[in-house]
Amino acid sequence: MSEAHCTLGRTYIRLDEFRIARDHLLAALTFQKTNSDPELLARIYDQLGTVSFSEGAFSSARENYMKALGLAEGSSDKNLLGMILLNLGTTLDEGYLGEHEQSARYIKRAIEHRKVSHKARMQPADATPSSSATSMIGYSPAMQRVYKLIGQVA
């Protein structure tokens, strides 16, 4: 049930329906309190951060991304960790004056994790990234620029 609400939350984020997205993500969080899956919890908090970021609530976004980061730090899912680091770095860059150095550190870590994730997904006979590239719908212009940068680096 948590995964279904999490997926609906992500879908509503991409449709810019943030109130509905938050409702589904909070429902996913409620279900996860009894069935603790750290990676799913990290994805839920990451998406709650994205909702807050999109609404300009940078303190709430930062708080949710930090929770997500704490849950994902030990994960073998380098893509998840890279996305959280990227989102946290972007939030610090966009919402906190004077946090640009910390933002850059998070984004550099994100790039390293995304490189590892990208290499793990590469097909031996194919030197191009997977055709299922992340859609840019629902991401801020700043986040789109960073994703494009990572795509060039990976």
Side-chain angles (χ1 to χ4, degrees), residues 53 57-59 61-63 65-66 69 84-107 142-143:
F53 180 91
F58 298 116
S59 294
R62 180 184 195 174
E63 183 179 309
Y65 290 139
M66 290 301 291
L69 182 60
I84 293 167
L85 288 164
L86 176 61
N87 290 338
L88 181 57
T90 302
T91 298
L92 292 177
D93 186 57
E94 290 280 311
Y96 290 88
L97 296 174
E99 296 265 359
H100 297 295
E101 287 182 26
Q102 183 65 28
S103 170
R105 284 193 287 277
Y106 282 124
I107 292 172
M143 291 177 88

Side-chain angles (χ1 to χ4, degrees), residues 129-148:
S130 169
S131 62
S132 61
T134 304
S135 169
M136 291 292 143
I137 298 169
Y139 293 101
S140 74
M143 291 177 88
Q144 290 178 25
R145 286 192 304 274
V146 176
Y147 282 123
K148 288 177 184 173

Side-chain angles (χ1 to χ4, degrees), residues 109-150:
R109 283 182 61 200
I111 291 169
E112 291 305 312
H113 286 287
R114 297 285 297 193
K115 281 183 186 177
V116 170
S117 174
H118 174 75
K119 286 179 185 174
R121 287 182 296 157
M122 294 274 293
Q123 308 256 334
D126 184 10
T128 60
S130 169
S131 62
S132 61
T134 304
S135 169
M136 291 292 143
I137 298 169
Y139 293 101
S140 74
M143 291 177 88
Q144 290 178 25
R145 286 192 304 274
V146 176
Y147 282 123
K148 288 177 184 173
L149 171 66
I150 288 174

